[in-house]
Amino acid sequence: MANKTFKMTQQSYDELKKKRDYLKTEGRDDIAEKLKIARSYGDLSENSEYDEAKSEQAKLEAQIAEYEYMLDNAEIIESGSSDTVSMGTKVTAIRKLDGEKIEIEIVSLTQVDPANGKISEDSPIGKALVGAKIGDTVVVEAPIGNLELDILSIQ
């Protein structure tokens, strides 16, 4: 099976590496302490605190493995020019439907936060915006119907 490539800016890569390092150190230390406390309660076969700590440990290790896979398969993308939309750029646009001004930042999958306007280039809006220029109108195919966005600025 071919490895998937994860496009990200150097900043995204550094932030992901920092998260991974935190989980490998402090995260593991926290789980070890929880396991130690749970073991002190005695019989492990009927110890819900121990089972919960083991479950947390498994989730933590899975998260570390996922971050390491993404870091190992990262493709560092330079932020584009301010002429066209690309990963790492911030876009200000107006929705034609209601005239509302929106701000969107194109980020890597590791930084996606739609509530704060951070979307992936693989999302429907991201796909529509990437490559567009100031003054362009892009059409985003969405479940609620097509959305038209007029691009005002790119940073």
Side-chain angles (χ1 to χ4, degrees), residues 4 6 8 10 12-21 24 64-76 110:
K4 179 179 177 173
F6 297 92
M8 59 184 76
Q10 185 64 49
S12 298
Y13 181 88
D14 293 343
E15 287 174 12
L16 184 61
K17 192 173 180 182
K18 187 176 177 181
K19 287 179 186 178
R20 189 243 4 230
D21 292 345
K24 287 178 84 171
I64 290 170
E66 181 180 349
Y67 286 172
E68 287 183 341
Y69 180 78
M70 293 173 86
L71 290 167
D72 290 345
N73 295 288
E75 179 183 339
I76 305 300
T110 62

Side-chain angles (χ1 to χ4, degrees), residues 32-137:
E33 184 63 25
K34 288 179 182 180
L35 287 167
K36 179 181 172 186
I37 291 168
R39 278 191 204 105
S40 72
Y41 295 146
D43 185 10
L44 299 182
S45 65
E46 295 181 18
N47 187 331
S48 63
E49 288 86 0
Y50 182 77
D51 292 341
E52 186 176 328
K54 288 299 280 181
S55 177
E56 281 185 51
Q57 182 182 39
K59 288 176 188 174
L60 176 86
E61 293 302 327
Q63 187 70 62
I64 290 170
E66 181 180 349
Y67 286 172
E68 287 183 341
Y69 180 78
M70 293 173 86
L71 290 167
D72 290 345
N73 295 288
E75 179 183 339
I76 305 300
I77 303 294
E78 295 298 320
S79 293
S81 69
S82 59
D83 296 8
T84 59
V85 179
S86 63
M87 186 177 299
T89 58
K90 293 180 182 179
V91 179
T92 303
I94 291 184
R95 278 196 309 229
K96 282 194 170 186
L97 176 69
D98 58 9
E100 184 177 340
K101 186 186 268 189
I102 59 171
E103 293 185 0
I104 298 168
E105 183 176 358
I106 308 296
V107 297
S108 69
L109 287 172
T110 62
Q111 294 181 304
V112 171
D113 184 3
N116 290 310
K118 295 182 177 190
I119 61 166
S120 163
E121 68 179 353
D122 294 327
S123 70
I125 295 175
K127 286 179 183 178
L129 286 172
V130 169
K133 299 177 187 264
I134 295 173
D136 287 354
T137 298

